[in-house]
Amino acid sequence: MHLSSIRLDSPVNMIVVVVLTLLAIIAVPWFWDRWKRKRLWRSVTILLAVVLVVLSAGMGGNMIGGFFPTVGSLLGTGVYSAQGTDAEAAQNGEDLEKLRDTGVAHAREGKGTVVHMKVTGRRTKVTRDVTVYLPPQYFDAAYKELRFPVIEWIPNYPSGPEVVTGGYHLPEQLDAAIGKRVLPPTVVVVPDPTGVPKVGHDTECVDEVNGTANDTYLTADLRDWALQKLGVAANRRAWTIAGWSSGGYCAMNLVTRHPQWYGQAVSVSGYDKAQVDAETEDLFHGRQDINDANNVRLNVARHPSPVDILAISGDKENYESFAIDQIRAAARPPVQFSSWRIKDAGHNMNTFKSQIPDLLAWIGAHTTGPSPAGRQLETTGGVLPWPLPRSGAHGALADTDQ
């Protein structure tokens, strides 16, 4: 059993821990007099009770906030959790054709297909976990000559792709949005923004000075890979970056840094600049110019570009709400900056999960729909109808638009 199979959001596990905690608390006074001459056993009993109290409180808070579905996602072990996925592909997805039968079967039920793999960047040589959602139409013959739009979904620190499938069940949300036609058939790429080790290594998705080129991997490398391997659209308006918490900051920062590749960004509970805390390494090593180049507020003021940004925060998230207000005040045309504030219980994943249907609808209204190979259509995929599928499935993955 690996850590990513131990559930932190299981009511059964929570009940077991609470029962053990109560027994440990009762054991302290029960054995106190009996173990007068066994001070070590007294100490062990007290320590066990304290540990279990902290564990039960932590698990309770995690279940209320919906932060981490498994122990692996909490500790950032890099061990892949298979919950919510359909297949494990070879390095760089070289054997994706094996998903044809699975994809066709899922499409009949209106479901997409989720596959996990390791992807190595051509420029950076960085290798990380990547999970990909392929919409039902991906395996439909009617869409064989079309290129799909893309959402690059950045998980929050210290999570990886497993939190997207097992934590807030994004594939099911995508199936529903596509089925209701509020989102065009869209390929979703979910990378690990941190790599391993995770604890104490919050990369904030930036190219670290004298360190890992996280930005380059998440943008240039993954985009090139998706164009070549997945047959997606190259049009910048077909590419959206989205995320929650640190992933929200990543989304806004990367879209303002690379407007030639991305047209939209959605941030839930994100902020305006890289955090500096115990979990973040020295990302910039005193280079204020690099620090400023990764400041969303400065970028939308000094280097405005034709990008659409949606930023959402909760009414109890003071820091995030303040950051959004600062970005809105600084934004200059042609930046289109929108935001809304919601009632929430603080900075937690349940706040984010409640917003997924609305943010998918927003993406659908701003991104392009599937487009013919070699053409750059500027239609709005979520408003205008995309081509209706015909029966049957093509025998191979779509050719790339290179």
Side-chain angles (χ1 to χ4, degrees), residues 11-28:
V12 174
N13 290 348
M14 183 70 208
I15 291 172
V16 170
V17 171
V18 169
V19 170
L20 291 176
T21 302
L22 292 175
L23 291 175
I25 293 173
I26 293 171
V28 172

Side-chain angles (χ1 to χ4, degrees), residues 11 27 72 75 131 171 175 253 261 277 291 293 334 347-348 350 355 380 395:
L75 299 180
T131 293
D175 291 341
N253 187 45
W261 293 332
D277 53 36
N291 195 336
H347 188 82
N348 62 67
N350 286 332
Q355 296 302 299
T380 302

Side-chain angles (χ1 to χ4, degrees), residues 14 78 211 251 271 287 293 328:
M14 183 70 208
Y271 36 86
R287 289 286 301 276
R328 183 193 303 108

Side-chain angles (χ1 to χ4, degrees), residues 189-387:
V189 177
V190 188
D192 179 354
T194 307
V196 292
K198 283 183 166 36
V199 177
H201 183 57
D202 181 3
T203 70
E204 298 286 290
C205 303
V206 305
D207 281 352
E208 304 168 44
V209 176
N210 301 322
T212 305
N214 302 287
D215 178 333
T216 302
Y217 175 80
L218 294 169
T219 57
D221 278 348
L222 281 187
R223 189 176 189 276
D224 282 354
W225 170 79
L227 290 172
Q228 295 168 11
K229 183 57 60 178
L230 303 179
V232 295
N235 179 8
R236 58 178 291 273
R237 299 298 301 187
W239 281 75
T240 303
I241 315 181
W244 170 70
S245 190
S246 60
Y249 160 70
C250 292
M252 292 191 291
N253 187 45
L254 296 179
V255 81
T256 58
R257 286 177 52 77
H258 306 289
Q260 75 277 22
W261 293 332
Y262 302 93
Q264 302 81 225
V266 175
S267 165
V268 182
S269 302
Y271 36 86
D272 59 337
K273 56 186 177 181
Q275 297 293 285
V276 179
D277 53 36
E279 292 297 317
T280 308
E281 292 186 350
D282 188 356
L283 300 174
F284 306 115
H285 288 275
R287 289 286 301 276
Q288 189 60 44
D289 57 332
I290 308 291
N291 195 336
D292 288 349
N294 288 276
N295 185 310
V296 179
R297 177 178 57 81
L298 296 181
N299 282 338
V300 296
R302 298 176 180 178
H303 313 288
S305 55
V307 295
D308 289 311
I309 300 174
L310 170 64
I312 305 168
S313 65
D315 57 7
K316 293 183 175 64
E317 296 180 305
N318 295 329
Y319 177 75
E320 293 80 3
S321 297
F322 176 78
I324 288 173
D325 291 342
Q326 293 293 301
I327 296 171
R328 183 193 303 108
R332 299 288 181 269
V335 175
Q336 296 292 321
F337 188 85
S338 305
S339 66
W340 67 65
R341 202 152 292 170
I342 60 174
K343 292 186 179 299
D344 76 301
H347 188 82
N348 62 67
M349 196 177 291
N350 286 332
T351 298
F352 166 56
K353 287 189 287 189
S354 70
Q355 296 302 299
I356 292 179
D358 288 338
L359 68 86
L360 289 178
W362 186 91
I363 293 172
H366 289 78
T367 189
T368 66
S371 58
R375 296 179 60 188
Q376 303 294 323
L377 300 184
E378 291 295 339
T379 57
T380 302
V383 177
L384 301 179
W386 52 83

